Amino acid sequence: MSFRFGQHLIKPSIVFLKTELSFALVNRKPVVPGHVLVCPLRPVERFRDLHPEEISDLFLTAQTVGNVVEQHFGGTSLTISVQDGPEAGQTVKHVHVHILPRKSGDFSRNDNIYEELQQHDKEAEETPSKWRSEDEMAAEAASLKTFFQ
């Protein structure tokens, strides 16, 4: 079964968690190691269009996933971000939560993470050679999946 992520079809091999209403996947071009996404199963473009039960499941899943990736990737904090609409930097027309494990000194200026996040998908579209391979993403997803079994 493939997953829909906006205009993309996502292979199950890069999805590491599925709940009743959400799924979590590894990122093809992570800003930091462990940068993952949590999305509602229903392809909804804007946050305002989610049903209350989808919001609840999405953020409970984001919390669970955040705890795992922070520990697994040796983080000490998390950046959790939703870019809601094109002017906010959303490039995939499907609500998604970015979860990024953070470490002291991972950026020279802490808020540079937001600039990187704003640009990472746009760069990827222009330079697919910078994307991770499907095998790399599947290996990371398989590793993360073990925490949810």
Side-chain angles (χ1 to χ4, degrees):
M1 166 184 155
S2 293
F3 294 82
R4 168 98 19 223
F5 179 48
Q7 62 270 34
H8 306 286
L9 274 181
I10 301 298
K11 293 182 178 181
S13 61
I14 67 167
V15 172
F16 60 89
L17 178 63
K18 180 184 172 293
T19 67
E20 182 183 349
L21 299 172
S22 302
F23 67 101
L25 67 150
V26 299
N27 201 318
R28 69 181 177 184
K29 189 172 180 275
V31 172
V32 295
H35 175 189
V36 298
L37 306 174
V38 179
C39 314
L41 284 170
R42 186 169 66 96
V44 175
E45 185 174 338
R46 297 292 307 275
F47 186 78
R48 66 178 173 233
D49 299 324
L50 290 170
H51 301 300
E53 60 275 8
E54 290 172 313
I55 295 169
S56 177
D57 190 81
L58 182 69
F59 279 93
L60 288 171
T61 303
Q63 181 183 46
T64 300
V65 167
N67 289 336
V68 167
V69 297
E70 182 178 345
Q71 284 186 347
H72 183 67
F73 289 94
T76 55
S77 299
L78 293 170
T79 293
I80 298 171
S81 176
V82 176
Q83 296 164 300
D84 189 33
E87 289 75 25
Q90 182 184 25
T91 56
V92 177
K93 294 180 178 184
H94 188 140
V95 172
H96 55 286
V97 180
H98 292 265
I99 301 175
L100 302 96
R102 302 293 305 277
K103 298 176 184 177
S104 178
D106 56 4
F107 286 87
S108 59
R109 198 177 130 263
N110 193 45
D111 281 352
N112 286 356
I113 186 95
Y114 301 109
E115 294 167 18
E116 288 289 326
L117 195 56
Q118 186 87 7
Q119 293 302 317
H120 90 287
D121 279 345
K122 293 175 185 166
E123 292 171 5
E125 289 173 5
E126 297 166 8
T127 54
S129 61
K130 292 185 179 182
W131 297 351
R132 296 194 298 168
S133 73
E134 286 187 30
D135 288 343
E136 288 174 297
M137 292 189 302
E140 183 175 293
S143 175
L144 290 171
K145 196 178 284 190
T146 64
F147 294 98
F148 301 101
Q149 296 174 340

